[in-house]
Amino acid sequence: MLRVLGGMLGRSHGLWRGARPGLRPTRASGGRAKGAEDAALPTAEPGYKTFQHDRRPTNFDKKVLVWAGRFKREEDIPKHISSELLEAARSNVRIKVCYIMIALTVLGCLAMVITGKEAAKKDQTLVRLNIEKKAKWRADVEKEQEAAVGKAQ
């Protein structure tokens, strides 16, 4: 079909021979072909990378790439990198951060268990602390009431 189209336009028959499926021209009339689906323009074949180096890394992206182990230093990072490379590095860093958070959570739990056991040995329970606090409040209220009665007389 493409050879026919090339022949009608006066071009050689091999004009579209090496073209990639996603880069072939659509119909010139602008309408849809009969029986066409509601899909957009044909995309590139699966697995074909249209843009190898499609973005410039920011300073934070450079730190992520170095911390993920993709590059040794920030100076080694090229001016343009692929999105896939950056996403893989971000996933790697995300996993490392999760491991660090898990470790910190476990350490925090151990610290709370240790301090709780020490407080239990000293008999510093929450019930006892609340009873002492309420007794102090009651004593303060009684002093204020005695002071109010003393002023009234």
Side-chain angles (χ1 to χ4, degrees):
M1 180 174 155
L2 292 176
R3 288 184 183 178
V4 173
L5 180 63
M8 288 174 29
L9 295 174
R11 308 271 196 268
S12 68
H13 291 288
L15 177 66
W16 301 105
R17 186 174 299 158
R20 292 179 213 111
L23 301 176
R24 291 182 177 152
T26 57
R27 290 183 49 194
S29 63
R32 292 186 183 189
K34 292 180 181 178
E37 298 177 11
D38 288 335
L41 292 174
T43 57
E45 61 188 42
Y48 177 76
K49 295 180 180 176
T50 309
F51 300 105
Q52 291 279 333
H53 306 290
D54 56 349
R55 65 174 290 172
R56 287 187 181 186
T58 62
N59 289 334
F60 181 73
D61 292 340
K62 289 179 182 180
K63 289 181 174 116
V64 167
L65 288 166
V66 169
W67 200 46
R70 299 286 178 176
F71 297 96
K72 298 280 184 189
R73 297 174 298 164
E74 288 187 22
E75 294 83 26
D76 297 340
I77 300 172
K79 289 185 179 181
H80 292 86
I81 59 172
S82 65
S83 295
E84 292 84 12
L85 176 70
L86 187 58
E87 286 302 316
R90 283 183 181 170
S91 295
N92 195 343
V93 169
R94 192 176 299 122
I95 291 169
K96 286 182 181 181
V97 168
C98 287
Y99 285 154
I100 290 170
M101 290 185 349
I102 289 169
L104 290 176
T105 302
V106 169
L107 288 175
C109 290
L110 289 174
M112 294 306 292
V113 167
I114 291 169
T115 57
K117 286 187 177 186
E118 289 176 358
K121 287 180 184 175
K122 297 177 185 176
D123 199 32
Q124 292 178 339
T125 62
L126 287 176
V127 174
R128 183 172 176 185
L129 293 174
N130 283 337
I131 291 172
E132 290 174 359
K133 190 187 306 181
K134 289 179 182 179
K136 182 181 175 185
W137 288 346
R138 287 187 187 119
D140 290 342
V141 169
E142 287 177 6
K143 286 181 185 178
E144 289 176 5
Q145 286 177 351
E146 288 176 5
V149 170
K151 283 185 180 181
Q153 290 179 356

